[in-house]
Amino acid sequence: MTAAISLAVIDDHPLFREGVIRSLTEMDGFSVVGEGSSKEDALRIAAECHPDILLLDISMPGGGLEAIPLILEQIPDQKIVMLTVSEASDDVMAALKSGAKGYVLKGVGSQTLADIIRGIAAGDSYVAPTLSARLISETGSRTRVNPFNALTGREREVLELASAGLSNKHIGLKLDLHEKTVKHHMTQIFTKLEVSNRTEAAMAFRDELEKRRQ
């Protein structure tokens, strides 16, 4: 049996925090080992409880963004996921540059959040699709970033298998992922590559491989 993913939830809105904790602990595979409401709580809980995933709000006493580098300085392998209402590109970039593995908007459903957490616990990263598209647009206009460079390692694996004709179900079986997690990866891929379906993504992937061979 797979060990439960341990979580800590740091948010200064008790009702929201309790809702997240209740939603996740009602599902199989999650255990909450700590909760708090400030940067100081985040630092203490990370050090004392060593959760697999630390969920942090941005707008809390001391600041969630300010907590990230302090936590990672002490615990370099701590996986931090921002769970916030902020859609500001500067906040997203600051979180990712500081070392956060995920940036999730609070409007997300509990099942989707669970799938995102499972993916990050397995080594993936995640940015809400609407935000990643905006980031690529903004950074691309300044630096002409190759969109394939924005794909995570897991997204590249999913894209390679999708391009080979595998369904989401079979990709999930091959990579030991939930089918819904694969769907999230495909959504991320479509957004980052600015395509609308699997065929266009596969064609873009083959074109990119051809360019790299030249």
Side-chain angles (χ1 to χ4, degrees):
M1 183 175 177
T2 304
I5 298 170
S6 61
L7 306 166
V9 184
I10 315 298
D11 192 292
D12 64 338
H13 291 86
L15 191 60
F16 177 81
R17 186 174 71 241
E18 290 165 11
V20 170
I21 291 171
R22 184 172 60 253
S23 295
L24 293 174
T25 53
E26 285 176 352
M27 301 180 196
D28 291 334
F30 297 101
S31 66
V32 174
V33 297
E35 60 176 293
S37 60
S38 67
K39 180 181 76 174
E40 288 69 27
D41 288 341
L43 293 167
R44 175 181 54 79
I45 289 169
E48 294 178 357
C49 303
H50 304 288
D52 295 321
I53 302 289
L54 184 62
L55 291 172
L56 286 185
D57 188 18
I58 284 181
S59 302
M60 63 182 185
L65 293 176
E66 288 74 13
I68 299 172
L70 298 175
I71 292 168
L72 294 179
E73 182 179 348
Q74 299 299 320
I75 313 167
D77 61 349
Q78 176 65 66
K79 292 176 179 175
I80 298 172
V81 178
M82 310 311 291
L83 183 57
T84 177
V85 297
S86 174
E87 298 185 30
S89 297
D90 287 347
D91 285 343
V92 183
M93 289 300 297
L96 299 179
K97 286 181 178 179
S98 293
K101 298 296 184 183
Y103 197 100
V104 185
L105 296 177
K106 283 187 174 180
V108 72
S110 58
Q111 186 60 60
T112 299
L113 177 60
D115 287 336
I116 292 167
I117 290 172
R118 290 189 189 102
I120 292 173
D124 199 7
S125 58
Y126 179 90
V127 176
T130 54
L131 302 181
S132 61
R134 186 188 308 164
L135 286 177
I136 291 168
S137 175
E138 292 178 359
T139 59
S141 64
R142 295 194 299 267
T143 62
R144 297 185 181 180
V145 173
N146 182 334
F148 282 89
N149 294 338
L151 297 178
T152 66
R154 180 64 84 185
E155 287 165 359
R156 284 192 290 272
E157 288 179 323
V158 170
L159 176 57
E160 183 175 356
L161 293 173
S163 298
L166 273 69
S167 66
N168 287 349
K169 180 178 180 180
H170 287 97
I171 292 172
L173 291 172
K174 195 158 184 78
L175 297 180
D176 194 25
L177 297 174
H178 289 266
E179 187 174 352
K180 284 187 176 181
T181 303
V182 176
K183 289 180 181 178
H184 288 308
H185 288 315
M186 291 304 302
T187 299
Q188 288 279 79
I189 290 165
F190 293 165
T191 301
K192 291 180 179 181
L193 300 186
E194 297 183 350
V195 298
S196 57
N197 56 54
R198 298 169 81 91
T199 300
E200 290 180 6
M203 290 174 63
F205 178 66
R206 293 185 191 115
D207 288 346
E208 179 65 16
L209 290 180
E210 189 61 34
K211 287 178 186 176
R212 295 187 181 189
R213 291 192 190 103
Q214 294 175 356

